[in-house]
Amino acid sequence: MKVSKKITVSGLVQGVGFRPFIWRIARENQITGWVKNSLAGVEILAEGKEHQIAQFIKTIKKDKPPLAIIEKISVTQAKKIYNFETFEIIESYRDKEGVLIVPADLPVCEDCLKELYDKEDRRFRYPFINCTNCGPRFTIIEKLPYDRINTSMQEFPLCPECYEEYKNPENRRFHAEPVACSACGPQLFLYDTEKNLIAQDDKAIYRVYKLLKEGKILALKSLGGYHLAVDPLNPQAVLHLRQRKRREAKPFALMVRDLVSAKKYVLLTKAEEKLLTSKIRPIVLCRRKKSSKIAREVSPDNNYLGIMLPYTPLHYLIMEHFDALIMTSANLTEEPIVYQDEEAFIKLKGIADFILTNNRPILRPVDDSVAMIHKNKPVIIRRARGLAPLPVKVSGIREGILALGGQLKNSFALTKKDYVYLSQYFGDLDNLLSRRSYLKGIEDFCNFFEFTPKIVAFDLHPGYFTSTLAEEKYPKLQKIPIQHHKAHLAAVVAEKRISPPFMGVIFDGTGYGEDGMIWGGEFFVALTDEKYERIAHLKYFPLLDGDDAVKKPWKSALSLIATTGVDLSENISKWEVAADELELAINRLSRQTLYTSSIGRLFDGVSALLGLKTIISYEGQAAVLLETRAQKEETGRYDFNIIDKFPYEIDYKPLILEILEDKRKGTAIEVISGKFHNTVVEMIVAVAEIVKKSYGIEKILFAGGVFQNRILLQKAFKRLQSLNFKPVVSEYVPVNDQGIALGQVYIANKLIRE
Amino acid sequence: MDLITLAHGAGGKLTAKLIDNLFKKYLGNEYLFQGDDGAVLSLPTSKIVFSTDSFVVSPRIFPGGDIGKLAVYGTVNDLAVMGAKPLFLSLGLILEEGLMIPELERIIQSIAEAAKITGVKIVTGDTKVVEKGKGDQIYINTSGIGVINAPFIPTGRAAKPGDKILVNGFLGDHGAAILACRENITGDFISDCAPLNDLIELILENFPVHTMRDPSRGGLAATLNEIAKQSRVGIELWEESIPIRPQVKTLCGYLGLDAFALANEGKVVVILPSEVATEVLETMKTHPLGQNAAIIGEVKNEPQGIVYLKNAFGGERIIDMPLGENLPRIC
Ligand SMILES: [Fe+3]
Ligand SMILES: [Mg+2]
Ligand SMILES: [Zn+2]
Ligand SMILES: [Zn+2]
């Protein structure tokens, strides 16, 4: 008679080949059922005749893999007989504490690459080659458990050869869910924009080489969405792409064949090489070589190039004929990356000349991650492919908190016990498609992680969509609004596990303050983990017309100059602004009720008053130009005052007056910008010294979008370290608004009413 | 000097004088002459619409209108979009000590004229005076009663997927005129302040309207957001089809404002079945207040409760309920 038993093996049984061993001996003993890793060790459900199971258990003890140590085997009766037909290994994707680990997408591995290039291999030049160690994950998994049937590979029945590999525990493709070959797997198709098929498979790739060399714009389906590829050595083609994408100056990312090719265009440090070749395969911002032949149009505003290495087999095949290709997300401005095939033909029609696609659906759009190296460590600027949805471990965090994030550069977070899952990047929530994909993303994560929100954390800003969402979608849950810059700070605290006392320096664009003003140049002191006290901020200045001031940096410049009391006319005469618009702005300055302490706007204002940029075409452009022009070696600085009240105010007036004076004298912009950067660093130092004196604090945490400025970050670190402070910045959680969801979760956890 | 004093609101001699010299003189009719604590009205039907609105506007006199006209048309328009024929209004005045009586007189004249044009009677009223510094010269409240003859009442809950959205002319003119006055901007900014009852009657008599609303405070953005929520539909607007005067666009560009969130005082949004949309448009254009009418968008199944603006390049920007304060959101 058939019996069904649950067998739990504890001890050192994970990661030592235990499950394939169990699988083998189960078959030998005619046992059906399954084996999986569990909290205790390994869990087995075995069905068979009583004597077969007894023999099976005996063999486990006797023939265990050499490295395994069995502490205990417990056997209980299973609830019922399931009548399994086979014995399977179940991938549970939970770590040893039982927490769900959904794998991020992985770049193609060395073994697979060898086969890709091996003429004798049956997967020679097959662009979807993968194995257990590599390939798509997060982008193709519909739901857990992670089984082929729950992925977008379900449409591709395995051929006998692939099936053999998939079923064989000794094969490196054993239970590689997306496994495929040219006989059974996805195929490539090259279409024109009218959806006429031009070529297929390897022929399509050869055609793509030719088209790209001709200067054509190719849309190609990558891992997490479509890319637009263009030859970056061809300025005409790059301009073409700019026009069609309606993207004036924002830099394009490049894919380079390998590190050797990379070095033709950029200077690479060891740390940058390491990050480029890591499993994340992010876009890394690297210093452009003076001799680089990459068209200036690729990144006109700065001296960096965002480069990445190929990460799919298709990329490797395409890059065979190129040192570098522009590889930018295929989308319309502000919209999320295009990832569905039908959508691609509609949306990309006016942009691409040809579309290289395939029939493996992408289920979840994920952009490329973006990072830079600071002090030999990564600083993530966009957290997406390769990182999402990996959790951040935050010991003691409660389960059930949903943090909705911010408005632009949005991401959300949810908590399981001790873990925070951070979503990928979603973009501007005022865009309909972005908002849809954000809302879908929340649903998706809730299902995926078996999560039910109990507490909702969101930004204090009454005008962010997230505030409305919190009210409307979660009317019955406890809701915790959290100040924007406190969330920025808490994100660093959470990721880097910082314990108080510490000071947080949050230099940011704009965020809604607790006093109804627009914050953005904030210093907080935390003596305990519970409370961040705002100890100092940049002195408020009028913020003209809300977001319009962000789009038109001259408005910040005007505020800054006017509030110093100098004669306006001689300082604003050369701005490219309509006379009546300018006059109108001047008239309204004194009547503004909205004030800001934003350092982001200070950077904007200085950039505009130096004539670098009066109206921007992409976020942060004015500040980027100011940074690019700064002379790093400059040691001079400008003055500022610290007004002795609580909180301290950093008075920018001397700074602005001296800049205007320098400008009048004809001092080079490079020098002025260098001195300005130094001054901002000295503002940090000045407050840090006060805080050290009063509280003995040495840990200084940095966050906020302004710290994406390398010169500022480097100089601030160097200067603070020379004074024996301990500066900290986050690594894998962005300093910009994509990081605030983590901070929201962290603070909410402290504020929860039991 | 002819100034309003606290005594004008004390209920004594001066109050009586004010009533006789201003209110009865300009607004007088059989109901008001009764002089009792309330007006006794007889109505032709039992189904009535009752609506109220308070008016605080600075400046009180602006190109295209003044607070008096606004107070009458505002309530008349609210009644009209509900499918009612406006008949009676009440008039409540809160005056600030020191208001010049000639100015008050001008406002009352303006109210009288507006009442005459729209065929409503001011049947009851009240005046209070507050100390100097406690008010902004003059606040007006009007409540109105209208009767319903139409076979159906348009409501915010009745917009259906597929319906077309029409508006009778340029949007944002009132908001722009007020802003231009306040900011001392010269240019062609004139409030659209106008009574809509006649135009609306014309539409309601001939077409099966689902939803109708006057996009006053909060502009088109607020009105359509309310409708999208009430009717549980999505609303798609076509950027290139929405009539906005170039000078209003420029002004909005200068001030970082959204023209869709600017107030209107003579505009009506009409939502009705697609089949009749062009016919309605033609009909609207025959009316002096509908010369620049346009079909500006369409009701969609989803996304529920969301209004979005589609442009020629296929971009879709969400128009949220205006916050009422221009806080920056770009970080
Ligand atoms: Fe921020
Ligand atoms: Mg009303
Ligand atoms: Zn592999
Ligand atoms: Zn196969």
Side-chain angles (χ1 to χ4, degrees), chain A residues 79 93 134 231 362 447 472 644:
Chain A
K79 280 188 207 109
Y93 284 96
C134 74
D231 180 1
I362 297 170
N447 293 333
E472 288 180 0
D644 194 7

Side-chain angles (χ1 to χ4, degrees), chain A residues 470-485:
Chain A
E471 283 305 322
E472 288 180 0
K473 192 163 177 203
Y474 306 100
K476 297 211 177 95
L477 301 188
Q478 186 184 341
K479 285 180 281 296
I480 308 183
I482 289 158
Q483 202 281 322
H484 190 89
H485 302 103

Side-chain angles (χ1 to χ4, degrees), chain A residues 120-250:
Chain A
E120 305 304 312
D121 195 276
R122 66 188 192 89
R123 292 192 181 86
F124 175 60
R125 286 184 74 84
Y126 179 58
F128 302 94
I129 188 168
N130 66 78
C131 71
T132 16
N133 293 321
C134 74
R137 298 285 189 274
F138 187 53
T139 49
I140 60 157
I141 302 176
E142 192 189 333
K143 58 181 185 220
L144 292 174
Y146 176 41
D147 265 321
R148 190 175 179 97
I149 193 75
N150 290 334
T151 71
S152 64
M153 287 301 292
Q154 57 170 287
E155 297 168 26
F156 302 94
L158 289 163
C159 70
E161 279 170 291
C162 284
Y163 185 76
E164 203 41 57
E165 293 171 326
Y166 180 81
K167 282 287 147 188
N168 179 2
E170 262 120 60
N171 191 285
R172 68 185 192 86
R173 293 202 166 85
F174 175 61
H175 267 277
E177 304 305 340
V179 73
C181 73
S182 52
C184 67
Q187 286 173 289
L188 280 183
F189 305 93
L190 178 67
Y191 292 101
D192 65 13
T193 50
E194 299 301 322
K195 219 176 173 178
N196 297 311
L197 186 62
I198 307 287
Q200 246 174 290
D201 299 322
D202 222 20
K203 286 204 188 82
I205 296 178
Y206 284 106
R207 219 26 214 280
V208 165
Y209 297 147
K210 235 181 123 232
L211 292 166
L212 285 168
K213 297 264 185 207
E214 285 167 13
K216 293 283 191 292
I217 300 173
L218 260 289
L220 51 97
K221 188 173 173 185
S222 287
L223 196 57
Y226 280 78
H227 276 127
L228 291 167
V230 169
D231 180 1
L233 304 176
N234 180 342
Q236 213 44 47
V238 181
L239 273 180
H240 223 133
L241 178 63
R242 287 217 174 273
Q243 282 156 7
R244 291 211 199 149
K245 228 187 151 203
R246 300 161 59 76
R247 177 153 147 169
E248 203 180 300
K250 195 177 176 185

Side-chain angles (χ1 to χ4, degrees), chain B residues 95-311:
Chain B
L95 309 177
E96 186 187 358
E97 186 187 2
L99 172 69
M100 309 260 284
I101 290 180
E103 187 174 347
L104 178 62
E105 184 166 7
R106 200 183 140 182
I107 291 169
I108 299 299
Q109 281 174 324
S110 175
I111 289 175
E113 196 190 310
K116 202 174 146 205
I117 290 174
T118 50
V120 294
K121 285 178 173 144
I122 313 282
V123 296
T124 183
D126 175 59
T127 306
K128 292 283 183 311
V129 179
V130 296
E131 277 169 56
K132 202 169 181 63
K134 294 204 167 163
D136 191 8
Q137 299 275 295
I138 181 166
Y139 299 144
I140 303 180
N141 171 274
T142 55
S143 297
I145 290 174
V147 290
I148 287 192
N149 296 317
F152 46 81
I153 305 170
T155 93
R157 293 179 298 278
K160 301 271 175 308
D163 283 1
K164 288 283 188 298
I165 303 161
L166 290 86
V167 70
N168 63 316
F170 293 108
L171 288 164
D173 286 355
H174 179 72
I178 296 294
L179 270 172
C181 276
R182 278 190 210 155
E183 301 291 343
N184 228 332
I185 300 164
T186 49
D188 203 7
F189 299 104
I190 299 166
S191 168
D192 60 347
C193 185
L196 293 165
N197 52 330
D198 192 51
L199 171 67
I200 287 172
E201 212 178 293
L202 178 69
I203 300 168
L204 280 180
E205 266 174 9
N206 295 292
F207 302 102
V209 173
H210 286 163
T211 299
M212 195 176 236
R213 199 162 279 180
D214 60 327
S216 49
R217 191 176 41 175
L220 185 71
T223 295
L224 291 184
N225 266 285
E226 284 165 15
I227 295 170
K229 291 222 160 56
Q230 280 181 283
S231 293
R232 297 167 194 277
V233 292
I235 289 183
E236 178 178 290
L237 295 175
W238 306 319
E239 188 161 26
E240 287 77 14
S241 309
I242 303 177
I244 298 172
R245 291 181 204 274
Q247 64 268 39
V248 174
K249 265 189 196 158
T250 306
L251 182 69
C252 284
Y254 284 3
L255 302 183
L257 295 176
D258 196 339
F260 303 130
L262 290 184
N264 306 279
E265 290 297 344
K267 290 294 157 341
V268 58
V269 171
V270 184
I271 301 180
L272 38 60
S274 183
E275 304 86 77
V276 294
T278 39
E279 209 185 326
V280 177
L281 183 68
E282 292 316 312
T283 309
M284 280 165 97
K285 285 187 169 178
T286 63
H287 193 279
L289 290 179
Q291 310 260 291
N292 298 299
I295 301 177
I296 59 169
E298 195 175 86
V299 179
K300 300 276 180 186
N301 241 325
E302 60 92 52
Q304 278 188 18
I306 286 184
V307 181
Y308 62 95
L309 184 68
K310 201 168 179 162
N311 67 25

